[in-house]
Amino acid sequence: MARIVVLYSSLGGNTRQMAEHVAAGARLVPGVEVTPMDAAALDLAALESADGIAIGAPNYFSYPSGLIKHFFDLAHQRAAFKGKPYVAFSTHGGGGGISPVLEKLSQAVGMKPAAAGLDVMGLPQGDQVKDCRKLGQALAVRASS
Ligand SMILES: Cc1cc2nc3c(=O)[nH]c(=O)nc-3n(C[C@H](O)[C@H](O)[C@H](O)COP(=O)(O)O)c2cc1C
């Protein structure tokens, strides 16, 4: 069974809700176990043993939240992250998504993209919810293969 962790941080709830949609998409793939993880309760061992990681952060001061940055600081030079599939997602308040920064950090620790990142202003709505699910599904398919 492939294991996916949806790692996110969220003070206001927007990114948490996006993470829930990403997780719902990953659960559409048979034989996949999906675990949401708030970065405030980071479990590095669980992330190391995951077959794929979805990483979501809010834009705080034009950068990913400090809690998500902390994950990358810990993941640096950890062999377990080399080659691990990931997808990135973010919410923002109008200043722009920061999934490109998440992509850069993910690749800096050796992870490999399973799909292009997704950015949403505020809460995901309508087709954005579908896009979140597709993102999670793409990761789960890659992690299962
Ligand atoms: C401390 C802080 C800094 C923020 N800085 C930015 C910013 O630089 N650019 C932007 O577009 N939105 C900014 N926002 C708005 C958040 O990115 C936006 O509301 C996001 O959806 C919040 O996610 P959350 O509800 O998961 O915490 C900021 C919000 C907070 C709390």
Side-chain angles (χ1 to χ4, degrees):
M1 170 169 289
R3 282 181 296 149
I4 300 291
V5 175
V6 181
L7 176 68
Y8 67 91
S9 103
S10 183
L11 290 177
N14 291 347
T15 315
R16 177 177 302 110
Q17 186 137 352
M18 195 169 179
E20 284 166 10
H21 295 313
V22 172
R27 288 192 185 101
L28 294 174
V29 178
V32 172
E33 180 187 288
V34 183
T35 306
M37 183 187 295
D38 189 329
L42 192 78
D43 180 346
L44 194 62
L47 288 160
E48 285 184 314
S49 64
D51 298 298
I53 307 176
I55 306 171
N59 176 339
Y60 291 162
F61 307 115
S62 302
Y63 207 72
S65 61
L67 287 171
I68 288 292
K69 173 63 165 46
H70 183 57
F71 158 66
F72 287 109
D73 295 349
L74 295 174
H76 181 57
Q77 292 191 335
R78 292 263 190 164
F81 294 100
K82 304 266 184 293
K84 198 184 291 292
Y86 78 90
V87 291
F89 59 95
S90 85
T91 71
H92 62 94
I98 42 79
S99 73
V101 182
L102 296 171
E103 303 260 15
K104 192 174 165 189
L105 293 168
S106 298
Q107 288 167 34
V109 301
M111 294 197 284
K112 302 289 179 201
L118 184 61
D119 301 295
V120 165
M121 187 171 128
L123 278 172
Q125 322 249 2
D127 282 350
Q128 293 170 333
V129 172
K130 290 184 196 162
D131 290 341
C132 292
R133 290 196 190 128
K134 280 185 201 160
L135 191 70
Q137 196 170 9
L139 177 63
V141 167
R142 175 68 61 86
S144 308
S145 62

